[in-house]
């Protein structure tokens, strides 16, 4: 597999994970054990977007697609962090 393709796949993982995690958190009223595990895994993958950006950037230097997806990785990480900050603020400090 080419390094560019692998880097793009690695860059897409946190973006999709953040979208799935946020949609699962807001769509489910009651969660089962499997759903909680799925939410935790997707949230963790979405939160680690900056790590995937670093790995993807080292694999495919100079690729514009990797750079754009890296920016979206940072947005995914920021989205997860903002969601948790809002959750903490809504329950009180």
């Amino acid at each position: 597999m080419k390094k560019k393709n692998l880097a793009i796949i690695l860059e897409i993982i946190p973006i999709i994970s953040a979208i799935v995690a946020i949609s699962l958190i807001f769509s489910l009223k009651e969660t089962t054990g499997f759903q909680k595990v799925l939410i935790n895994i997707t949230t963790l993958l979405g939160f680690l977007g900056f790590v995937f950006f670093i790995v993807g950037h080292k694999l495919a230097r100079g690729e514009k697609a990797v750079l754009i997806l890296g920016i979206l990785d940072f947005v995914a990480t920021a989205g997860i962090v903002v969601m948790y900050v809002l959750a903490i603020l809504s329950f009180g400090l």
Side-chain angles (χ1 to χ4, degrees), residues 10-83:
L10 285 175
E11 295 283 338
I12 290 175
I13 291 172
I15 298 166
I16 293 173
S17 296
I19 293 169
V20 169
I22 291 172
S23 64
L24 283 175
I25 288 170
F26 288 122
S27 67
L28 299 175
K29 296 185 192 279
E30 295 181 14
T31 57
T32 62
F34 174 73
Q35 291 169 339
K36 288 180 184 178
V37 170
L38 185 64
I39 289 171
N40 289 336
I41 290 171
T42 56
T43 303
L44 180 65
L45 286 174
F47 182 70
L48 294 175
F50 62 92
V51 174
F52 285 98
F53 169 72
I54 293 170
V55 172
H57 186 68
K58 287 191 184 256
L59 284 175
R61 291 191 176 123
E63 291 292 327
K64 290 187 181 189
V66 174
L67 182 64
I68 292 170
L69 289 172
I71 293 169
L72 291 175
D73 284 343
F74 283 114
V75 170
T77 302
I80 296 289
V81 170
V82 165
M83 183 186 64

